[in-house]
Amino acid sequence: NTMMACISDEESLALEGRGIAPSELGSSSSRHPSDLLALVEHFLAAGEFARVLDVTTFNPGLGDQTPELHYYRGVARAALGASAEGWIDVNAAIRHGMADAGDRFRGWLGRER
């Protein structure tokens, strides 16, 4: 699957400053799903939760290899008012190896209230 994301010039420069070439994101099926983490973290930091969902839901199975994608999808859902669905994603992150996902999510929910 190929991911298409609209990245502004400003976002492109910010990502390049972190060593990420936006033009390469999702450009090859040989890339590992962890390559998407920087983009997701960038959108989270900017409070762009709908865009986090765009990146993490186009192929939810990517989170099976990179559980942080499940976790960040849960954070985005909670930020958009769907914390119950967020817990489903957090549980998926735990199942796929992110043992501290529940604690991190509880901490994040506490900060947001």
Side-chain angles (χ1 to χ4, degrees):
N1 289 334
T2 301
M3 183 200 64
M4 302 292 286
C6 295
I7 309 285
S8 70
D9 289 340
E10 181 179 292
E11 290 169 328
S12 181
L13 288 173
L15 288 167
E16 286 174 2
R18 295 181 63 189
I20 302 145
S23 62
E24 295 178 11
L25 289 171
S27 65
S28 169
S29 60
S30 66
R31 295 181 67 94
H32 193 274
S34 64
D35 291 346
L36 296 174
L37 285 177
L39 181 63
V40 171
E41 290 167 351
H42 171 76
F43 288 154
L44 280 172
E48 298 281 343
F49 301 110
R51 294 176 88 183
V52 171
L53 288 180
D54 287 344
V55 174
T56 59
T57 59
F58 81 96
N59 182 349
L62 296 177
D64 296 354
Q65 295 176 55
T66 304
E68 291 86 352
L69 293 173
H70 284 308
Y71 172 76
Y72 289 141
R73 184 173 51 249
V75 167
R77 288 189 203 276
L80 294 170
S83 60
E85 289 88 352
W87 274 111
I88 292 169
D89 295 314
V90 169
N91 285 328
I94 293 167
R95 277 193 319 276
H96 293 286
M98 191 177 173
D100 67 340
D103 292 336
R104 287 178 58 184
F105 192 64
R106 276 190 281 288
W108 185 87
L109 287 174
R111 282 195 315 265
E112 291 299 304
R113 295 185 196 280

